[in-house]
Amino acid sequence: TTVTGTRGRSAAVAIAALVIAAGIPLWWKTTETYRAWLPAARISELEALQLELRVEVEVVFARGTLSPEQQKKVPASRITYESCCKSKSLCLVEADHALHTLTETSCGSVVIYIIPEASALLPQDMRVYVGRSRTALLRSQVASVVGAGLPEVLAALDPQMEQVLQTMSFNHQDVTAALTDRLRPGLSTRDSLADSMRAFKSSPGYEITFSLLNPDPKHHQLHWDVEAALDAYIYPLLHKMAPVANFSVDSQILYYAVLGVNPRYDASASAYTLSADSLAHVINPVEARLGSNAASSNPVLNFLLYVPDSLHSPLIIRNDQKQEVASNAFHSPRWGGIMVYNVDGAYGNDTQFPVDIAIDMSRVMGVFLSQLRLMLGFQQTGAPPGFVLEAAGREGVAEWELDRLLWSRSVENVATASASITSLAQLLDQIANIVINDNIAQQVASAVTALQAAVAELEAGNLALALEHSREAISASERAFFDPSLLHLLYFPDDQKFAIYIPLFLPMCVPILLSLLKIFREVQQHRAEKRAKRD
Amino acid sequence: MPNIIAVVCASYGLAQSVCDGEDLPARAERFFRSDHTNNWAVLVCTSRFWFNYRHVANTLSVYRSVKRLGIPDSHIVLMLADDMACNHRNPKPATVFSHKNMELNVYGDDVEVDYRGYEVTVENFLRVLTGRLPPSTPRSKRLLSDDHSNILIYLTGHGGNGFLKFQDSEEISNVELADAFEQMWQKRRYNELLFIIDTCQGASMYERFYSPNLMALASSQVGEDSLSHQPDLAIGVHLMDRYTFYLLEFLEDIHPASQANMNDLFKVCPKSQCVSTPGHRTDLFQRDPGSVLITDFFGSVRKVEITMETINLTVPGIPLERFGGEPHTETALAYVDQLPVAQIIHQKPKQKDWHPPDGFILGLWTLILLVFFRTYGIKHLKHIF
């Protein structure tokens, strides 16, 4: 029996050794979830991210602003300015245009021209003029500053320059509004909250739809040359916004589409009126009928042109104070705008219906363009006292306004991307059995790299590059966060795990353990006998 | 070119910024009663089979109220696990009634079901909530909410203590649901969320929530069953659950401009009517429930601003054009011939190929022959063979 006994014992020990040495590691390895490596250290750095925004400002002193001693101390400024502004009757816009051609301003930088106090270029009570490009004219008397070195001169100009920069680039409210995601709630002011509610969040693309609503085709046959109007008025703005997002524009005409609200007839104005309270209920019934060409998940902006039917013409919109609204249009935050266009003036009572009516697209597009600017994030900046802000006009948007938007978008993108990455890392940490595929790890790594590049560019003041990197960062982080493979239906409580493994392993392990125990006891017994024999 | 570059550095730490408030004009005050700009609804019925008719009727009645109060179909994700209207056991096809005597047909004629039948799974539900859908998913199946969206989530079906049963084969636990809401909060996919659940022991499903801005209502507490309202003898099943029945009654009185608030909603279906005790949870919600309007979640009241500024694009001096009597030289438009009716009418009948008689007919003939020969004796068989 000893031979079989030893054979049996060695067999049992060998099996046990195999199970423990090879089986358990093999089982562990094969049931492991594949988790690609994530740059955890860099991600944790992102949580304490400090943003530094730098604006390049070029200050040009015109002749007459600096006293001769100051001129000697200060490095020579350019003289060519005077050649274009000889005539006194030069108007402000032309001066601005002429100045714009002198300098090449890069995206995000600002040029401030200091002109003498007595200059006739600005009206008497205005101190600052902000043009369509990135230049500003500041009227100031620097020659009277004591101590004519450069630092003193700049220190004297500092408060005014800061005001100019806060209007043209960014101020505290803008940045906190862009960072609302990561700030404690209640920190942003009401006005900036209104602006952030109105404008769409940063998105890789937007879909814009222009619709003409004709509830009365029997009487009105409407012609709108929307393609030409878009080419002339809207596309310039969208081309300028190309670094920010992609746009896809389409248009449609809806017949027999009515507003959901009955307008009231006002005899004093001999027109039908829509009060401000009823405007909120206009949009929903119309929206149900609007088709959408959108194939992507991008936000959709709708711009509706409603031509009232002949029974309810003219239709005017009244605001809260019961006054007529000049534009006859209203907009809804993050949705779009509706304009009411009255055509009753184009025909008399005895014309033969249907009447052909051509819609004045420039008036319509003027309203839609301003609504579009609001929706895209160009705020209605109230000019500080003493400032003159040149209106954007046909180009749609001034370059400094675009820069403002780029600053806030870059900051918003950086904040959102870093929030996504950190929360994704936290999620993946918490749930040990989510599979992290290689593509997710790659997206995360590229997002982190782009984020760090964006922050570096913001510090250096290169706004265009910073925006590009921030867009890369946000698209990579969104793709990583919303990857379909990250769904964890894997809420396995521990007792369920035991319930799975015990029926598999227990029947196998019981004989092994029992035989090991038996061997151990036999060995002990044997040793005890040996000891007893020796004694 | 010598430049005097003044460097303006602004440092912003991402977690510390202090801002002081400003004065509010009255218009802004009204603008800000609630922070949302759009509304979404996710309505899920999780049980299939004919005897769970009431769950589909529950979901459709909430769908109907939500549509009536203004949320468009593009903002509603409706998930129905089974088709009751076209079920072959439905004595009134294409209808789903919510009240006995067939008073109210909640199916209507413009129902848009986004996830139907076996597409209603725990995985799809969680994918819709978290947004992790495959790129080929159409827009109508996605929840495209943003940080200013108020979302209403309604779940109904069979549930238990801490879980909700989907399709008789899987379940979602309250921990998973809470985690999904946290994922939504991390990406700011909602501004405020109202969660309503009508199942047995429904209150257990909202016990584990921990994300901010959530309000939850349930039809029964842990340990209680939610009961159904009343059977209809013609259709043969229970038509609605009690809680949703009284909820529908309450919502029928709400119109888009109504000022009813959440405290009224909490009073819906007291124990005397519902037999179970409805519960609610508001500790994670920032605003006071008395200031939350019903239409903040069930309807879609848009915030509207008058457009004050316009851009002057017109060249002055050109009047509005009138086309008047210009002859239109457009070619007359006609429909393409889609159905060649002329060909069909004069078509000769197609020759049908001959097929041998199938098994049923053969079996019937054999049976008849056997019966004949059994009755009249086997000797007649020789006449055949």
Side-chain angles (χ1 to χ4, degrees):
Chain A
T1 60
T2 45
V3 173
T4 46
T6 41
R7 270 213 203 126
R9 248 176 274 134
S10 42
V13 169
I15 290 175
L18 195 68
V19 163
I20 294 174
I24 289 184
L26 196 69
W27 166 68
W28 190 260
K29 208 68 177 69
T30 48
T31 54
E32 214 179 40
T33 46
Y34 177 72
R35 293 171 75 93
W37 178 82
L38 288 179
R42 290 162 79 192
I43 294 175
S44 53
E45 272 175 38
L46 287 176
E47 283 187 40
L49 194 60
Q50 292 267 4
L51 274 184
E52 202 177 283
L53 304 171
R54 175 189 282 232
V55 180
E56 266 195 37
V57 179
E58 190 180 324
V59 181
V60 178
F61 290 94
R63 173 184 286 197
T65 42
L66 289 177
S67 63
E69 305 89 51
Q70 286 169 334
Q71 254 180 2
K72 279 192 213 115
K73 294 277 179 73
V74 161
S77 47
R78 281 176 302 127
I79 328 245
T80 46
Y81 160 66
E82 304 157 49
S83 62
C84 67
C85 297
K86 280 275 167 60
S87 88
K88 285 219 175 66
S89 57
L90 196 65
C91 82
L92 216 44
V93 180
E94 290 165 19
D96 176 58
H97 187 68
L99 287 172
H100 175 52
T101 50
L102 287 179
T103 44
E104 260 311 308
T105 47
S106 68
C107 185
S109 60
V110 173
V111 182
I112 302 183
Y113 289 93
I114 315 282
I115 56 178
E117 194 74 46
S119 164
L121 218 48
L122 285 173
Q124 260 317 91
D125 46 346
M126 292 297 157
R127 279 181 31 253
V128 180
Y129 169 77
V130 178
R132 282 204 194 138
S133 56
R134 301 182 179 99
T135 53
L137 297 178
L138 175 62
R139 194 220 304 267
S140 160
Q141 191 55 270
V142 189
S144 57
V145 169
V146 178
L150 174 59
E152 285 86 2
V153 168
L154 285 179
L157 286 174
D158 213 19
Q160 297 158 30
M161 283 213 301
E162 201 175 307
Q163 231 188 358
V164 171
L165 284 172
Q166 282 189 347
T167 314
M168 287 181 73
S169 291
F170 52 83
N171 56 20
H172 190 73
Q173 267 91 350
D174 292 339
V175 179
T176 44
L179 292 174
T180 42
D181 268 0
R182 298 202 75 188
L183 290 178
R184 292 193 296 277
L187 281 182
S188 42
T189 63
R190 290 300 206 192
D191 278 339
S192 62
L193 189 60
D195 283 332
S196 80
M197 273 174 75
R198 189 184 301 123
F200 279 91
K201 283 202 80 103
S202 171
S203 158
Y206 299 94
E207 317 253 350
I208 307 181
T209 305
F210 290 90
S211 313
L212 171 65
L213 273 65
N214 187 0
D216 201 5
K218 281 204 282 268
H219 292 114
H220 301 142
Q221 189 135 359
L222 299 172
H223 301 273
W224 73 335
D225 193 5
V226 64
E227 276 194 51
L230 287 177
D231 269 333
Y233 305 122
I234 304 285
Y235 282 147
L237 172 62
L238 297 185
H239 282 315
K240 281 207 188 148
M241 299 259 318
V244 181
N246 300 323
F247 291 92
S248 130
V249 182
D250 53 19
S251 65
Q252 60 178 345
I253 303 182
L254 283 175
Y255 292 107
Y256 294 107
V258 292
L259 297 180
V261 180
N262 282 328
R264 276 208 210 100
Y265 186 71
D266 186 4
S268 61
S270 67
Y272 289 86
T273 58
L274 277 178
S275 67
D277 301 321
S278 56
L279 290 177
H281 306 290
V282 165
I283 295 182
N284 284 325
V286 174
E287 192 178 358
R289 304 252 349 255
L290 288 178
S292 168
N293 214 5
S296 63
S297 316
N298 291 331
V300 177
L301 285 90
N302 292 298
F303 292 100
L304 273 57
L305 182 63
Y306 180 74
V307 176
D309 49 331
S310 53
L311 292 171
H312 289 112
S313 279
L315 182 61
I316 55 180
I317 298 179
R318 289 244 167 94
N319 60 10
D320 287 329
Q321 285 85 31
K322 302 280 180 273
Q323 291 157 350
E324 216 176 287
V325 173
S327 60
N328 223 17
F330 60 99
H331 57 269
S332 176
R334 298 211 178 173
W335 184 80
I338 300 185
M339 177 180 178
V340 177
Y341 187 90
N342 291 312
V343 294
D344 58 317
Y347 57 88
N349 263 338
D350 49 352
T351 39
Q352 197 189 28
F353 290 119
V355 184
D356 285 318
I357 299 171
I359 295 183
D360 180 15
M361 291 309 289
S362 53
R363 212 181 97 203
V364 169
M365 282 300 165
V367 173
F368 282 162
L369 191 59
S370 70
Q371 287 176 342
L372 180 64
R373 279 168 45 109
L374 285 175
M375 296 289 140
L376 289 177
F378 297 102
Q379 294 130 351
Q380 294 166 315
T381 40
F387 275 56
V388 174
L389 299 176
E390 179 72 27
R394 291 186 73 99
E395 289 143 20
V397 65
E399 290 185 26
W400 58 269
E401 284 182 317
L402 187 59
D403 281 353
R404 260 189 97 109
L405 181 70
L406 295 187
W407 281 114
S408 64
R409 280 277 187 255
S410 312
V411 171
E412 191 187 327
N413 284 350
V414 166
T416 313
S418 65
S420 304
I421 297 285
T422 44
S423 79
L424 179 64
Q426 216 181 9
L427 167 77
L428 295 175
D429 251 348
Q430 261 176 356
I431 299 171
N433 35 15
I434 279 193
V435 176
I436 308 179
N437 287 324
D438 282 330
N439 67 328
I440 297 175
Q442 193 206 15
Q443 301 280 7
V444 170
S446 71
V448 172
T449 317
L451 260 180
Q452 285 170 339
V455 171
E457 298 289 355
L458 279 177
E459 269 182 36
N462 305 326
L463 184 54
L465 283 176
L467 182 73
E468 211 182 290
H469 285 300
S470 70
R471 271 186 80 184
E472 257 178 58
I474 200 174
S475 79
S477 66
E478 297 278 303
R479 238 176 295 143
F481 193 94
F482 288 117
D483 192 275
S485 72
L486 283 182
L487 189 74
H488 63 290
L489 280 179
L490 307 173
Y491 171 64
F492 287 141
D494 285 328
D495 46 343
Q496 286 194 13
K497 278 201 192 118
F498 283 129
I500 292 173
Y501 284 131
I502 283 179
L504 290 175
F505 290 141
L506 200 62
M508 184 185 77
C509 284
V510 165
I512 294 178
L513 282 173
L514 288 180
S515 55
L516 279 180
L517 271 174
K518 190 158 175 265
I519 291 170
F520 183 64
R521 247 184 255 127
E522 279 181 6
V523 165
Q524 269 202 328
Q525 219 183 14
H526 195 69
R527 278 211 198 123
E529 279 171 10
K530 254 199 192 163
R531 236 178 281 136
K533 246 198 260 177
R534 258 190 273 131
D535 297 337
Chain B
M1 182 174 76
N3 294 335
I4 306 166
I5 297 178
V7 165
V8 175
C9 288
S11 297
Y12 290 92
L14 282 179
Q16 314 95 16
S17 305
V18 180
C19 226
D20 28 67
E22 291 177 4
D23 293 304
L24 303 158
R27 180 179 62 82
E29 187 61 68
R30 191 157 33 102
F31 192 95
F32 291 110
R33 272 186 80 181
S34 156
D35 278 354
H36 71 283
T37 58
N38 51 39
N39 286 79
W40 286 81
V42 180
L43 311 173
V44 184
C45 159
T46 59
S47 38
R48 58 170 39 237
F49 304 130
W50 173 245
F51 50 83
N52 289 321
Y53 184 101
R54 61 189 185 280
H55 296 140
V56 173
N58 288 349
T59 318
L60 284 173
S61 49
V62 176
Y63 171 77
R64 173 209 147 75
S65 310
V66 146
K67 261 182 87 159
R68 189 177 55 82
L69 290 173
I71 303 185
D73 269 318
S74 53
H75 286 230
I76 302 179
V77 178
L78 178 63
M79 305 171 79
L80 296 180
D82 202 357
D83 187 4
M84 297 306 168
C86 300
N87 194 308
H88 47 266
R89 290 170 74 166
N90 192 349
K92 300 270 183 218
T95 60
V96 173
F97 291 109
S98 69
H99 200 282
K100 70 173 196 279
N101 304 326
M102 303 187 204
E103 278 174 21
L104 183 58
N105 173 19
V106 290
Y107 199 66
D109 54 1
D110 60 349
V111 171
E112 200 180 286
V113 183
D114 300 305
Y115 287 84
R116 61 189 70 204
Y118 286 108
E119 289 172 358
V120 179
T121 57
V122 175
E123 181 186 339
N124 280 347
F125 177 59
L126 289 179
R127 281 191 191 282
V128 165
L129 286 185
T130 54
R132 298 202 168 102
L133 289 157
S136 58
T137 317
R139 255 185 111 100
S140 58
K141 283 188 168 183
R142 287 181 189 260
L143 179 65
L144 295 170
S145 54
D146 54 29
D147 59 327
H148 285 296
S149 303
N150 276 9
I151 307 184
L152 165 74
I153 298 190
Y154 177 82
L155 292 174
T156 183
H158 289 288
N161 189 357
F163 67 92
L164 171 63
K165 183 175 75 158
F166 265 70
Q167 302 264 16
D168 236 15
S169 61
E170 49 182 8
E171 59 194 37
I172 185 173
S173 64
N174 49 7
V175 178
E176 275 178 316
L177 196 56
D179 284 341
F181 286 157
E182 176 63 17
Q183 297 267 299
M184 289 175 77
W185 176 251
Q186 289 285 329
K187 281 305 281 180
R188 299 294 186 272
R189 277 166 69 78
Y190 67 90
N191 175 42
E192 288 169 349
L193 201 145
L194 177 64
F195 175 77
I196 303 184
I197 183 161
D198 188 353
T199 64
C200 305
Q201 309 194 51
S204 62
M205 289 304 284
Y206 60 65
E207 270 173 7
R208 301 289 198 112
F209 289 169
Y210 55 95
S211 316
N213 288 350
L214 292 178
M215 196 192 302
L217 281 101
S219 60
S220 56
Q221 301 291 333
V222 175
E224 289 180 347
D225 288 337
S226 282
L227 301 178
S228 59
H229 186 60
Q230 47 188 205
D232 181 291
L233 296 177
I235 298 181
V237 285
H238 286 258
L239 293 185
M240 283 272 268
D241 277 333
R242 281 176 192 247
Y243 182 75
T244 311
F245 181 82
Y246 290 108
L247 180 69
L248 177 63
E249 230 179 52
F250 171 77
L251 288 175
E252 289 287 302
D253 287 333
I254 308 280
H255 55 90
S258 154
Q259 298 288 311
N261 58 34
M262 281 295 161
N263 284 333
D264 304 325
L265 191 62
F266 295 155
K267 295 194 205 114
V268 162
C269 206
K271 194 170 163 96
S272 52
Q273 283 173 334
C274 250
V275 184
S276 59
T277 322
H280 54 91
R281 181 178 175 179
T282 54
D283 57 318
L284 293 166
F285 202 74
Q286 274 181 8
R287 293 192 287 154
D288 172 44
S291 68
V292 180
L293 299 177
I294 301 282
T295 51
D296 280 350
F297 288 103
F298 284 90
S300 173
V301 182
R302 302 269 182 183
K303 295 202 176 1
V304 159
E305 287 180 314
I306 308 274
T307 306
M308 289 303 189
E309 286 180 8
T310 62
I311 297 181
N312 189 4
L313 295 172
T314 51
V315 177
I318 300 179
L320 182 72
E321 283 189 5
R322 229 188 85 187
F323 274 179
E326 236 187 50
H328 285 288
T329 53
E330 287 172 0
T331 53
L333 302 170
Y335 275 111
V336 171
D337 212 15
Q338 292 175 6
L339 193 64
V341 178
Q343 290 177 10
I344 292 175
I345 290 177
H346 297 296
Q347 205 176 16
K348 281 208 206 112
K350 238 184 9 183
Q351 298 281 6
K352 273 184 85 165
D353 301 318
W354 180 84
H355 295 282
D358 68 350
F360 174 70
I361 305 287
L362 276 178
L364 198 61
W365 291 350
T366 317
L367 183 65
I368 293 171
L369 282 176
L370 280 175
V371 168
F372 172 75
F373 286 115
R374 188 95 169 88
T375 334
Y376 296 108
I378 208 74
K379 58 184 190 299
H380 292 275
L381 200 53
K382 64 173 186 295
H383 297 289
I384 311 276
F385 297 108

